[in-house]
Amino acid sequence: MSTVSTSIAPAAAPARTSAPADNTSFSVDFSDIGRSFTAKPERGAARGSTVAPRPVLRDVSLTVQPGEVLAILGTSGCGKSTLLRIAGGLDEPSTGSIRIDGSPLNGIDARCAVGFQEPRLLPWRTIADNVALGLPRRIGRAEGKSRVAALLELVGLTSFADHRPRAVSGGMAQRASLARALARNPGVLLLDEPFGALDALTRLKMQDLLLDVHAAAPTTILLVTHDVDEALQLADRIILLGADDDADDMAGGRTGATIVQELVVPGGRPRDRGSAELAELRGRLLAGLGIDRHGQARGVAATHTIPHFPY
Amino acid sequence: MTQTQIPKPGTAAAVRPARRPIRLTSRRGFVIFGGALLPLAILLVWQLSITLGVVSVSQLPSPAMVFLAAIDLYERGQLTLYVAISTQRVLIGFAIGASLGVAAGALVGLSRGANVLLSPTLGAIRAVPSLAWVPLLLLWLGFGEQSKITLVAIGAFFPVYTTVSLALRHVDQHLVEAGRAFGLGGIRLFTAVQLPAVIPSVISGLRLALAQAWLFLVAAELLGASMGLGFLLSESGGNGRIDRIILAIVLLAVIGKITDAVVGIFEKWANKKWA
Ligand SMILES: Nc1ncnc2c1ncn2[C@@H]1O[C@H](COP(=O)(O)OP(=O)(O)OP(=O)(O)O)[C@@H](O)[C@H]1O
Ligand SMILES: [Mg+2]
């Protein structure tokens, strides 16, 4: 059920998106990623007592195809942001390795752009200048300016271009942060709950916008979210992070979280938000997150193979 | 009828923002008047205590006598010279000390290695009282300008160094990480994220440094100088000219306050721009 959206979209939305069509996208390859944090020993703890490192992630192996949209779901504190930070080179895995486009990731990579969970805008710069921070280094002044203007238009912040971050709302700041990540025109776009602070309506609009951008320039997107519907609406594939069944708490407090479910979302985008097929998947994901689904499954099988891109 | 009514809401709306009551304590006229109130009262008490004979003129000369001393010094050409030379020493010493302070503060604030290496030594040097340097500087650098400017620079260095290094250590790490994630590093990261983040503290450091520069200037001039307000103090102390001593104190207070006010205006502007 692959659609032709990727081939027609550049013609349909060239004026709205600023990303050039020659955008390249890269594969992301996690192999056996594990990450544990060592907490600082508490004051008054016996000297010499070693604090065991607390595992947060373990055995995360996953290949994200070029141009694929992967949603990462999981309960709060299970390590979603940690995984994304590792992919962006902002954090290093304790074990395992990560490759982008086949080459091992070494520190911060110019091919990736990160939209952080918090907006993280520089308070002394205007919204436009903040977005300009995301521009690739080699880009010219005039081109950069028009790109920033186009991105601000895209996220609906044109009239706030000259405002300081503290003079705009939280949702606006988050949209500015998204625009900053898009300004990179990255091969891999890492988004950490990019729509978390938005109201329901703006959130739906921004989801569609992200799909437009992706259709015009199909970059690889890793999208962290806690919203099952958002994942179903946007992603080609969804992974659910959590503890294995034998561990006793959801966030994987003892052993660290790993991929407990992986499912391919059927159908091309944009998807019907109310379809029965998605409802079934939603139930399954919610169950995986530890939520009672309040009803019986209707038995729609989800494929576990990854269809070839473009879908 | 309607025509006369229509402008009403418009004018009311136009007038309302201007009419919004400004707090009395933030009105400019009140601020200036309020600030001048206490000095005027002091002047009055000073004059009264002399006219009523509470203190003798040999202990405390009257305001008029101090004023005449100023005129006298001015006519000899000394007043302008002393004020100019003192201000010059402060400004040059402040410029040198503050620049070194920013550089050392940036180094210690950004690099752990430099912090380990430098901060104990600099902390110890800071603990040395200003007067302790004077004999040493006089022997090393002589009686000329260098020794005074060096002492003023030492005085200006430490407030800037301390505030800059502390502020850099407390820059929001989230912002620094965001800068790094978008490909900034080294000097570009410093100018784009860390420096703007600490500019308000740098400026308040500069303000403290300027005040300290005046303190160290007087220390330098008291003990070894042939010109300047500090020299005026020590010379008048020697020959008992209390009117000139009071004149020098008043001049130091007024000039110090003026230079501080200039930096204060700059601080306000910068805080608007950067914070
Ligand atoms: N720098 C760090 N030092 C110590 N522990 C950390 C650090 N960063 C993350 N952790 C721990 O790792 C775990 C996962 O954090 P992470 O931010 O990845 O969660 P998350 O899945 O993004 O949660 P949320 O949905 O609430 O954002 C948390 O328990 C957190 O305490
Ligand atoms: Mg998170």
Side-chain angles (χ1 to χ4, degrees):
Chain A
M1 171 123 180
S2 69
T3 65
V4 285
S5 66
T6 44
S7 53
I8 60 158
R16 291 184 56 203
T17 57
S18 62
D22 64 337
N23 179 301
T24 44
S25 55
F26 302 114
S27 65
V28 184
D29 213 342
F30 299 91
S31 55
D32 287 325
I33 295 287
R35 179 73 171 103
S36 1
F37 289 104
T38 344
K40 283 206 179 114
E42 280 203 14
R43 275 189 174 207
R47 201 160 338 147
S49 71
T50 50
V51 179
R54 192 167 56 88
V56 170
L57 290 175
R58 67 177 169 89
D59 306 326
V60 177
S61 294
L62 175 74
T63 300
V64 190
Q65 304 293 336
E68 185 180 1
V69 180
L70 177 89
I72 301 168
L73 274 175
T75 47
S76 179
C78 73
K80 305 183 295 293
S81 298
T82 305
L83 187 65
L84 207 71
R85 289 167 52 80
I86 289 173
L90 295 167
D91 194 6
E92 283 187 0
S94 316
T95 60
S97 66
I98 171 165
R99 281 184 299 183
I100 291 190
D101 195 26
S103 59
L105 185 69
N106 189 11
I108 288 156
D109 199 301
R111 293 171 294 184
C112 302
V114 190
F116 293 97
Q117 192 164 359
E118 320 81 27
R120 300 200 188 180
L121 302 174
L122 302 178
W124 51 87
R125 288 198 182 194
T126 62
I127 294 292
D129 288 343
N130 265 292
V131 173
L133 187 74
L135 292 171
R137 193 81 63 84
R138 55 191 145 57
I139 206 166
R141 198 171 249 269
E143 195 193 342
K145 220 171 170 185
S146 68
R147 183 126 130 206
V148 169
L151 282 166
L152 287 175
E153 173 86 55
L154 198 67
V155 297
L157 288 176
T158 303
S159 49
F160 291 91
D162 295 328
H163 282 57
R164 293 293 181 78
R166 82 159 56 120
V168 303
S169 73
M172 287 168 160
Q174 206 170 25
R175 281 184 275 157
S177 161
L178 175 65
R180 180 176 63 181
L182 290 174
R184 268 252 114 180
N185 192 16
V188 179
L189 184 58
L190 306 165
L191 298 176
D192 198 345
E193 302 194 20
F195 311 127
L198 303 182
D199 63 283
L201 216 66
T202 316
R203 171 180 268 244
L204 295 184
K205 261 195 236 163
M206 289 293 123
Q207 290 174 359
D208 287 345
L209 174 146
L210 189 66
L211 289 182
D212 283 350
V213 170
H214 183 259
T219 168
T220 310
I221 300 180
L222 272 65
L223 175 83
V224 166
T225 177
H226 53 239
D227 181 345
V228 172
D229 289 310
E230 182 170 283
L232 287 168
Q233 183 64 21
L234 297 178
D236 299 309
R237 192 155 48 121
I238 300 175
I239 61 168
L240 185 64
L241 289 182
D244 265 345
D245 293 340
D246 49 339
D248 35 325
D249 74 323
M250 286 309 298
R254 288 217 191 129
T255 57
T258 187
I259 301 177
V260 290
Q261 263 190 54
E262 173 178 342
L263 49 89
V264 172
V265 186
R269 291 176 297 256
R271 300 194 176 97
D272 174 7
R273 292 184 198 269
S275 87
E277 218 175 5
L278 293 189
E280 158 58 20
L281 292 182
R282 176 183 307 126
R284 241 194 258 179
L285 288 168
L286 287 175
L289 287 164
I291 310 287
D292 189 354
R293 58 170 76 185
H294 302 300
Q296 277 302 310
R298 267 173 288 177
V300 182
T303 48
H304 275 261
T305 49
I306 306 161
H308 194 263
F309 181 81
Y311 310 104
Chain B
M1 283 279 254
T2 45
Q3 270 179 343
T4 53
Q5 277 175 345
I6 287 165
K8 254 190 180 170
T11 43
V15 162
R16 194 165 296 143
R19 271 237 213 106
R20 217 170 62 205
I22 305 171
R23 284 226 316 270
L24 185 65
T25 46
S26 53
R27 282 192 199 157
R28 167 163 278 184
F30 181 81
V31 169
I32 293 172
F33 174 73
L37 217 53
L38 196 55
L40 288 175
I42 291 172
L43 207 61
L44 191 70
V45 171
W46 180 7
Q47 182 62 52
L48 275 179
S49 57
I50 285 158
T51 36
L52 297 179
V54 181
V55 287
S56 75
V57 182
S58 61
Q59 288 278 324
L60 181 67
S62 70
M65 288 162 76
V66 172
F67 183 69
L68 287 177
I71 301 282
D72 174 47
L73 276 178
Y74 177 76
E75 279 168 354
R76 294 165 193 237
Q78 283 175 338
L79 188 68
T80 326
L81 176 71
Y82 286 0
V83 169
I85 195 77
S86 287
T87 312
Q88 178 186 317
R89 283 166 182 161
V90 162
L91 292 185
I92 295 176
F94 170 72
I96 295 172
S99 327
L100 291 177
V102 170
L107 203 64
V108 169
L110 291 175
S111 146
R112 264 170 199 280
N115 182 22
V116 169
L117 214 64
L118 294 178
S119 65
T121 314
L122 287 174
I125 295 175
R126 182 177 50 191
V128 177
S130 57
L131 286 175
W133 293 109
V134 175
L136 194 61
L137 289 174
L138 282 180
L139 286 175
W140 279 352
L141 300 172
F143 209 61
E145 288 304 290
Q146 282 173 21
S147 55
K148 281 120 209 153
I149 288 175
T150 307
L151 190 67
V152 172
I154 291 174
F157 174 86
F158 284 105
V160 180
Y161 158 76
T162 312
T163 43
V164 171
S165 61
L166 277 184
L168 278 175
R169 226 165 290 156
H170 292 113
V171 172
D172 185 353
Q173 284 310 306
H174 274 176
L175 293 184
V176 175
E177 190 182 70
R180 290 202 302 126
F182 286 102
L184 300 180
I187 192 80
R188 283 169 53 94
L189 183 67
F190 180 69
T191 52
V193 180
Q194 283 142 332
L195 184 65
V198 300
I199 276 188
S201 0
V202 172
I203 292 174
S204 50
L206 289 178
R207 211 169 163 178
L208 288 173
L210 190 62
Q212 187 130 318
W214 279 104
L215 299 184
F216 276 56
L217 170 90
V218 174
E221 288 181 345
L222 268 178
L223 295 188
S226 53
M227 306 181 278
L229 293 171
F231 167 72
L232 182 62
L233 278 172
S234 68
E235 186 201 42
S236 311
N239 57 24
R241 290 290 299 264
I242 300 182
D243 52 347
R244 287 189 181 174
I245 292 179
I246 292 176
L247 173 68
I249 289 172
V250 170
L251 282 175
L252 282 170
V254 169
I255 301 171
K257 178 62 203 159
I258 288 172
T259 50
D260 182 62
V262 171
V263 181
I265 291 169
F266 179 57
E267 185 178 22
K268 242 186 206 159
W269 170 82
N271 276 345
K272 223 188 237 164
K273 189 158 164 51
W274 297 105

